[in-house]
Amino acid sequence: TLVGGTAMGGNAGTGGNGGRGGSGNGGNIHQLGGNLRLEHTILDDGVLQAGFGSEGQPGGTIAFPDISSPGVQSDGYNLVNFRGPTTGWVASDLPNGTEPLLGPLDFYGGTVEGFLPLDGSPARNGGAPGTCSATEDQNGIPRPQQAACDVGALEFRGDNVFADGFE
């Protein structure tokens, strides 16, 4: 179970060199069996890095689903930008193709780097109204700070002086 997490820029694998490139599945999460439970989680920017072809030409970057799993058990309020063929999503999950609008990887006043929801991000207050399964974000900030929990690893504080990543 992944609760209140954020995975950005996952690499599905590196294609082979010489001949055809390799393959990969699920840019941020690839699960071969069983069910994966997600709640208040963001997955975005999964890619497959292709290797070099037989003539030494560099490969490209291919957009890949952010998740590849035979079954997802959503406990709600997830933002997965590119779901691919996975099933198990529920009505409270944000629609497939929703951009999370997150700031760059930074500390934002805490001790662990993360991606903070920017102004206008659907992740802000995008969680369950008034209640959160994770009572703190990854930096110990109590949840919720406003009407609802933020989706992802960091909770935006209305007085967050570190919102731009500078201290």
Side-chain angles (χ1 to χ4, degrees):
T1 302
L2 181 58
V3 177
T6 304
M8 295 280 296
N11 189 335
T14 303
N17 292 323
R20 297 192 184 272
S23 63
N25 293 293
N28 285 310
I29 295 178
H30 177 64
Q31 181 182 4
L32 296 174
N35 280 337
L36 173 67
R37 293 180 67 175
L38 298 174
E39 181 181 355
H40 286 96
T41 297
I42 297 172
L43 301 176
D44 188 35
D45 284 341
V47 296
L48 169 68
Q49 299 289 331
F52 288 89
S54 59
E55 296 182 21
Q57 298 299 316
T61 300
I62 302 166
F64 235 72
D66 294 312
I67 186 167
S68 175
S69 175
V72 170
Q73 180 179 336
S74 174
D75 290 335
Y77 304 98
N78 296 295
L79 193 165
V80 179
N81 189 2
F82 184 15
R83 292 182 191 161
T86 59
T87 60
W89 306 103
V90 297
S92 65
D93 293 320
L94 292 158
N96 191 32
T98 301
E99 290 287 339
L101 303 176
L102 303 176
L105 183 64
D106 210 328
F107 290 97
Y108 298 103
T111 59
V112 180
E113 289 180 302
F115 298 96
L116 187 70
L118 298 173
D119 286 332
S121 171
R124 278 210 198 158
N125 295 311
T131 182
C132 306
S133 52
T135 58
E136 295 180 341
D137 76 358
Q138 72 178 14
N139 284 322
I141 303 300
R143 289 181 184 235
Q145 286 288 305
Q146 297 174 350
C149 292
D150 292 348
V151 176
L154 292 178
E155 184 77 9
F156 179 82
R157 299 184 314 241
D159 65 345
N160 194 335
V161 295
F162 303 106
D164 61 0
F166 298 101
E167 297 186 60

